[in-house]
Each structure stands twice: as C-alpha cells, then as structure tokens.
C-alpha cells in the first residue's frame, strides 16, 4: 500500500515539478528575450542615430516653407553638435551628410546664408506639429559648397552666445 501511495504521489508530483521547471525556463527565456530585445532596441537606437544623420531621425517633413535670406553669421560655439546636409532634412529619403572635420572651420568662420527653410514635422509622442528652422549656408566664401544646417549651428545676432 505504501508503494502504491508513493507511486501515485510521485506521478502527481512529476507534472507539478515539470510545470515549475517549464515556467522557470520560460521566465529565463523571456528574460533573455527581453534582454536580447533590449539589445536589439539599443542597436536600433544606435542605427537610428546614424540614420538620423541621413534623415533627421527618420521623420518625413509634412511641409517645408522656403524663404530667400541674405545675411552673414558665424558658427555657434557648439556647431559640431549639428549636421551638414545636402537637402533639408525630412525632404528626401537619403540625405547626404558632410563632416565638419572635412570643412576646416571654427567658430570664427563666416557662414553666408542665402535661404531659410521651416520644416513642419509631426511629433510621434503627442501627434502635434513642430517646426524646425534650417539655413542654407556657404562656409568661408560665397563661392563654396552650399549646405543646409539647423539654426542651432549659427550664432544669433542678438545673443552673446554664452547662455546655450
């Protein structure tokens, strides 16, 4: 009788033990899946930051308003945090970007502005529209290559450029 009772209890315990092992292995799998998905998300974020160079965080501009402008400015003391673009970001699928290092510039370099663009984007968080201003510039001389830069790359005339 003891053998039968022991056998029955053992048979009942096996599924319970297996279910517990199965849940813990699933939790381990879900932890590893979530960590691998976190790693994937992190690598996607790093990819998106590199693709942000191509197309301003991958967002498409809803509309862009261009205006002729003509003024001279200097590069902001943190100009290198911005990018140089061939086109206004958000207007083309693959926007060519240029390195500041290749331009041989500093904060004392003149930037000749000939156009301004105000791009309208839809904010993914609250679905409201937001505007970003870009200027088309030539660096150092009026005969060089033209680039589009975010307004933050240029000094404002009314500021002393110390409170950014």
């Amino acid at each position: 009788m003891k053998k039968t009772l022991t056998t029955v209890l053992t048979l009942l315990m096996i599924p319970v033990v297996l279910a517990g092992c199965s849940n813990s292995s699933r939790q381990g799998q879900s932890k590893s899946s979530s960590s691998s998905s976190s790693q994937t998300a992190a690598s996607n974020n790093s990819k998106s930051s590199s693709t942000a160079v191509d197309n301003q965080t991958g967002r498409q501009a809803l509309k862009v308003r261009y205006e002729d402008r003509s003024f001279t400015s200097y590069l902001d003391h943190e100009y290198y945090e911005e990018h140089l673009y061939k086109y206004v970001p958000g207007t083309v699928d693959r926007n060519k970007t240029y390195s500041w290092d290749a331009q041989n510039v500093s904060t004392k370099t003149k930037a000749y502005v000939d156009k301004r663009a105000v791009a309208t984007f839809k904010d993914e968080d609250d679905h409201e529209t937001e505007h970003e201003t870009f200027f088309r510039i030539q660096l150092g001389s009026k005969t060089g290559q033209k680039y589009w830069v975010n307004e933050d790359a240029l000094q404002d005339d009314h500021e002393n450029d110390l409170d950014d």
Side-chain angles (χ1 to χ4, degrees):
M1 177 81 166
K2 286 184 179 179
K3 267 188 172 177
T4 308
L5 185 60
T6 306
T7 306
V8 170
L9 287 176
T10 306
L11 289 175
L12 289 175
M13 293 294 289
I14 290 175
V16 171
V17 170
L18 288 177
C21 291
S22 174
N23 284 340
S24 67
S25 70
R26 282 187 190 146
Q27 288 173 350
Q29 286 175 349
S30 68
K31 285 180 185 173
S32 66
S33 323
S34 66
S35 68
S36 68
S37 65
S38 298
Q39 290 170 350
T40 304
S43 68
N44 285 344
N45 287 343
S46 64
K47 287 179 185 174
S48 67
S49 66
S50 64
T51 55
V53 172
D54 287 342
N55 198 7
Q56 191 79 28
T57 68
R59 300 183 305 172
Q60 288 297 112
L62 300 175
K63 67 180 180 177
V64 178
R65 187 180 73 236
Y66 294 92
E67 302 169 353
D68 287 335
R69 293 292 166 116
S70 181
F71 66 90
T72 303
S73 183
Y74 289 93
L75 295 176
D76 185 80
H77 71 280
E78 294 177 338
Y79 68 90
Y80 49 85
E81 292 179 1
E82 302 299 326
H83 299 289
L84 292 167
Y85 300 97
K86 183 170 185 169
Y87 302 102
V88 174
T91 60
V92 294
D93 287 335
R94 293 178 187 226
N95 200 353
K96 183 167 174 73
T97 59
Y98 302 90
S99 167
W100 286 106
D101 295 333
Q103 305 310 314
N104 194 23
V105 296
S106 71
T107 56
K108 296 177 181 169
T109 302
K110 284 187 179 179
Y112 298 95
V113 177
D114 68 345
K115 285 206 181 281
R116 178 179 120 159
V118 179
T120 304
F121 297 95
K122 188 172 191 172
D123 189 358
E124 294 176 7
D125 294 334
D126 57 9
H127 302 292
E128 292 184 12
T129 57
E130 54 187 35
H131 306 283
E132 292 188 38
T133 304
F134 298 92
F135 291 103
R136 190 171 71 175
I137 63 170
Q138 289 175 303
L139 296 168
S141 72
K142 290 187 176 183
T143 60
Q145 169 78 31
K146 294 181 180 181
Y147 306 98
W148 286 96
V149 296
N150 189 296
E151 67 182 336
D152 295 337
L154 300 178
Q155 286 184 7
D156 291 335
D157 290 345
H158 57 77
E159 69 170 297
N160 63 6
D161 199 35
L162 297 175
D163 57 354
D164 283 353

